[in-house]
Amino acid sequence: MKRLFRRCGHAPGALSLEDQAAVDVFRAMLAALRDPEPWTPGRCQDVAVRIGPFVERAHPRPGDDRGPDIIAVALQHPSGSYAPYGARYRRLGWLRCETDKILGAWSPAYEPLTHAAAGLDLPDDVGMVPANYGVHVEARRSDGTGYTLLRLGPYNQTWLAGHDADRLNTELAGKAATVVPGFTVTAKAAPFDVSDHESYDDPYETDATVLLAAAIAREPTPPRTPWTKTSWPSTGPSAKTARWAVMPGMPRLAPNSSLRWSGRGAAWWSGTTVYWSAVPKGR
């Protein structure tokens, strides 16, 4: 039987260009494994994740890559998201990826370690469960500010999330603006935020309408507006009435007035200046 062997590294003479390229790729792969580029949460950069003995390229879902324990990713062909998948590299949708499976930021040096480089398709079980959709019940003010009242999920299928969102909006019909004073409450389907999975209620264990009623019941009752009343005098003082406290005792001079030209000073009406002195007791 005849076997063909490639050139051995111990053979005499210089390496061919093809062999040198293979050595460079191998060295780059070892360097990437030994000293991977750190992955930074929140930057939506492709990452290298372990899938069994292989390493795959994964793209985080925008806004759902904060961690710290779990992010949502989509496995991609090592050549990039626009490379054809073909029959041997299938799409799996968004998956829940534990951050301890991430080696670091993706580098082309990892490509020889992928299923595609070995001529294999992705396995049926990649060790990640789907990161599907949820339902967010939000309370919003007229200026757009507000908060999330309730989160439901994850849903195994998108249409189920939309169905429950419609059910909750039907339940809120006619009272969306009154169940939480000052806010309008609506439900909508949204991507399941795996980074904040602990804040979700499971709609498969308890009906969505029951969970909504419980969330509304947990809302604090706003304090009643205190009752106040302002009383106005029936007749106010004259605009030309002097109202000053006077010193008690016997005055030396009685109050008097004299005419003078209009101008600054204690002038109450044109041409008259008033002088004050103490008012005697009993007068």
Side-chain angles (χ1 to χ4, degrees):
M1 183 173 61
K2 182 179 179 181
R3 295 184 180 179
L4 298 178
F5 294 94
R6 296 190 62 184
R7 175 190 176 94
C8 177
H10 297 288
L15 293 175
S16 67
L17 295 178
E18 181 182 357
D19 290 341
Q20 185 62 54
V23 170
D24 292 341
V25 170
F26 184 74
R27 287 176 174 173
M29 179 186 66
L30 292 179
L33 292 173
R34 182 176 59 252
D35 189 19
E37 178 185 350
W39 167 70
T40 304
R43 295 181 57 183
C44 200
Q45 61 183 150
D46 287 0
V47 295
V49 298
R50 292 188 180 276
I51 306 294
F54 295 87
V55 176
E56 293 295 335
R57 181 174 185 171
H59 179 70
R61 181 161 62 189
D64 201 2
D65 60 343
R66 302 184 305 274
D69 301 319
I70 300 175
I71 65 172
V73 301
L75 296 179
Q76 295 187 337
H77 193 280
S79 298
S81 57
Y82 296 102
Y85 276 68
R88 299 188 59 81
Y89 222 79
R90 57 192 173 86
R91 293 180 181 272
L92 297 177
W94 296 109
L95 303 171
R96 298 178 62 179
C97 176
E98 298 176 356
T99 53
D100 59 5
K101 293 184 178 180
I102 298 176
L103 295 177
W106 172 259
S107 168
Y110 293 116
E111 187 168 347
L113 300 176
T114 63
H115 286 83
L120 301 174
D121 192 7
L122 291 173
D124 293 332
D125 183 8
V126 295
M128 305 181 197
V129 297
N132 295 303
Y133 281 77
V135 173
H136 293 180
V137 180
E138 298 181 344
R140 297 290 176 186
R141 300 185 183 90
S142 57
D143 60 0
T145 60
Y147 62 98
T148 302
L149 177 67
L150 175 67
R151 294 184 178 188
L152 304 176
Y155 289 85
N156 296 330
Q157 297 181 1
T158 304
W159 73 269
L160 291 175
H163 175 69
D164 270 4
D166 292 339
R167 289 179 57 213
L168 296 181
N169 284 324
T170 301
E171 185 75 14
L172 292 167
K175 55 183 180 180
T178 59
V179 290
V180 179
F183 296 83
T184 299
V185 180
T186 56
K188 65 178 183 179
F192 181 76
D193 187 355
V194 296
S195 299
D196 196 20
H197 60 94
E198 294 181 353
S199 67
Y200 283 78
D201 289 298
D202 190 348
Y204 294 99
E205 293 183 355
T206 308
D207 188 75
T209 57
V210 176
L211 293 172
L212 175 63
I216 294 174
R218 290 194 299 266
E219 286 296 293
T221 303
R224 298 182 61 183
T225 304
W227 184 84
T228 59
K229 180 179 179 181
T230 303
S231 300
W232 294 93
S234 57
T235 57
S238 171
K240 298 182 180 180
T241 301
R243 293 169 291 162
W244 280 270
V246 297
M247 297 291 293
M250 181 64 68
R252 294 182 179 180
L253 298 174
N256 65 87
S257 63
S258 63
L259 297 177
R260 60 171 292 175
W261 295 105
S262 301
R264 297 181 63 183
W268 296 102
W269 58 82
S270 178
T272 304
T273 302
V274 180
Y275 303 91
W276 289 273
S277 59
V279 178
K281 292 185 178 179
R283 292 191 181 184

